[in-house]
Amino acid sequence: MIKAKKSLGQNFLVDQKIIDTIVNIVKIKDESILEIGPGTGNLTVDILKKKPKKMIVIEKDNQLAQLLNKNLGTKIKIINDDVLKIDENKIENSSLTVFGNLPYNISTEILCKWILNIKNNNYWFNHLILMFQKEVANRIISDFNTKDYGRLSILANWRLNIKKICDVKPHSFFPRPKVDSSILLLEPKLEFFPIKNAKNLEKLTRTFFMHRRKMLKKPYNQLFNGNLKVADKLKINLNMRPQNLDFETYYKLTGEYENLRG
Ligand code: SAM
């Protein structure tokens, strides 16, 4: 008998309708699939029914990895490791279609790591179909001038096209989480603003959104040493709040920041 481990964010999907929705979002047949946190394999078996070319799973829990090996070992490759420690660019030569009912406690960390690790235009995935806590999904898909807009949406929208598929209620899982969830489809953006080092975008947005109710003036001066040329060039009113600047402006600001640093 498997006892769900809270520390590993184990809420297993038990709603067949939701599983059916997930496996019909993109084509699986003949694709190379990666599933993050397959758990007891509830989603895994339905992905396999669609006849992928290959299926790889990453599961941190030793007990669950053993169970998967016993039940599905001949059909899937099991990596019994921490997804945060794996270099995703080395998993497969071809692009992967990724599924994951992600452990909520590390879902943003996983997504940010994946985005920061995209090498130029070489995306290691072609689709990400991911379940997030609804509140986190709202932050990922939010637009500027809204309360959820911030670091996560700016980073995600830089390299990804994002679409919300549906919300999922707690009764679709066992054990039931306390919060609602949402499924997102995220796909590579082929045209994006050139930033030399994505860590600079992270640094800028962290500084600007540190105090989201305060004016842009202070964090701007901190980052640009009081030099107003960039703000003038990008026509930024420094009396506005961080959520009032659109995506492109944050990317351009990062580009200017990188130019000044050489
Ligand atoms: N996919 C299964 C399902 O839908 O029924 C389980 C989803 S459950 C929300 C999250 C899964 O991720 C668990 O199986 C858990 O053990 C695994 N997990 C947690 N942290 C992980 C990590 N750092 N690396 C890989 N797997 C992890």
Side-chain angles (χ1 to χ4, degrees):
M1 175 71 178
I2 295 292
K3 195 169 177 292
K5 298 184 181 78
K6 225 178 170 179
S7 62
L8 289 175
Q10 292 179 353
N11 298 96
F12 303 113
L13 251 181
V14 290
D15 185 336
Q16 191 58 42
K17 268 199 202 142
I18 297 296
I19 293 175
D20 289 344
T21 301
I22 294 175
V23 298
N24 283 301
I25 295 170
V26 297
K27 177 169 113 34
I28 292 176
K29 192 168 187 312
D30 298 329
E31 300 292 328
S32 297
I33 307 294
L34 173 69
E35 189 190 352
I36 308 301
T40 48
N42 296 0
L43 182 58
T44 322
V45 288
D46 279 66
I47 295 174
L48 283 172
K49 282 182 198 156
K50 297 266 178 193
K51 303 202 182 318
K53 179 164 97 190
K54 186 171 192 176
M55 178 141 190
I56 304 162
V57 304
I58 303 176
E59 175 54 67
K60 186 175 178 184
D61 187 318
N62 299 339
Q63 205 190 353
L64 289 178
Q66 275 171 25
L67 181 78
L68 287 162
N69 192 29
K70 190 168 138 243
N71 296 340
L72 299 169
T74 55
K75 298 185 178 122
I76 61 177
K77 177 180 167 191
I78 302 162
I79 303 174
N80 183 195
D81 208 340
D82 182 341
V83 65
L84 290 171
K85 292 194 183 141
I86 285 178
D87 181 350
E88 41 285 338
N89 289 292
K90 293 197 177 135
I91 298 174
E92 260 294 286
N93 288 331
S94 58
S95 258
L96 291 159
T97 296
V98 184
F99 289 87
N101 170 14
L102 298 179
Y104 290 150
N105 49 344
I106 55 167
S107 63
T108 53
E109 206 180 329
I110 294 172
L111 184 65
C112 292
K113 173 177 179 272
W114 287 351
I115 297 170
L116 293 174
N117 266 353
I118 300 168
K119 308 244 183 291
N120 306 317
N121 241 339
N122 301 324
Y123 288 82
W124 59 276
F125 56 86
N126 46 29
H127 305 281
L128 303 174
I129 296 111
L130 304 176
M131 177 96 71
F132 292 94
Q133 188 178 329
K134 185 176 174 182
E135 175 259 326
V136 172
N138 285 345
R139 278 165 47 210
I140 296 171
I141 57 175
S142 63
D143 207 345
F144 77 111
N145 282 335
T146 67
K147 73 169 176 36
D148 289 328
Y149 183 63
R151 295 169 56 191
L152 201 50
S153 42
I154 295 168
L155 182 66
N157 274 277
W158 174 46
R159 299 302 302 260
L160 301 167
N161 290 314
I162 307 162
K163 188 175 156 198
K164 181 168 174 172
I165 303 296
C166 64
D167 290 330
V168 184
K169 289 282 172 199
H171 62 70
S172 295
F173 302 89
F174 184 81
R176 291 183 183 195
K178 290 199 174 72
V179 292
D180 284 359
S181 307
S182 304
I183 300 167
L184 299 184
L185 167 64
L186 310 102
E187 294 171 311
K189 232 180 210 176
L190 298 181
E191 282 186 21
F192 53 90
F193 188 90
I195 288 171
K196 285 189 203 121
N197 185 349
K199 291 226 158 80
N200 286 326
L201 178 60
E202 266 207 314
K203 181 182 171 181
L204 246 90
T205 52
R206 193 179 334 117
T207 310
F208 277 114
F209 283 89
M210 190 97 77
H211 303 289
R212 53 183 307 137
R213 286 167 202 279
K214 298 235 169 97
M215 287 187 281
L216 292 162
K217 217 176 277 175
K218 197 170 165 198
Y220 174 89
N221 283 332
Q222 196 181 320
L223 288 160
F224 292 91
N225 295 328
N227 179 347
L228 293 175
K229 275 191 189 145
V230 171
D232 287 345
K233 183 174 168 188
L234 301 180
K235 298 189 173 48
I236 297 171
N237 171 356
L238 293 175
N239 293 327
M240 293 200 302
R241 322 275 152 187
Q243 72 265 29
N244 304 126
L245 291 189
D246 62 13
F247 293 106
E248 276 308 300
T249 306
Y250 277 106
Y251 307 145
K252 285 180 185 164
L253 266 171
T254 308
E256 295 291 340
Y257 177 81
E258 290 185 330
N259 289 342
L260 286 174
R261 303 251 143 177

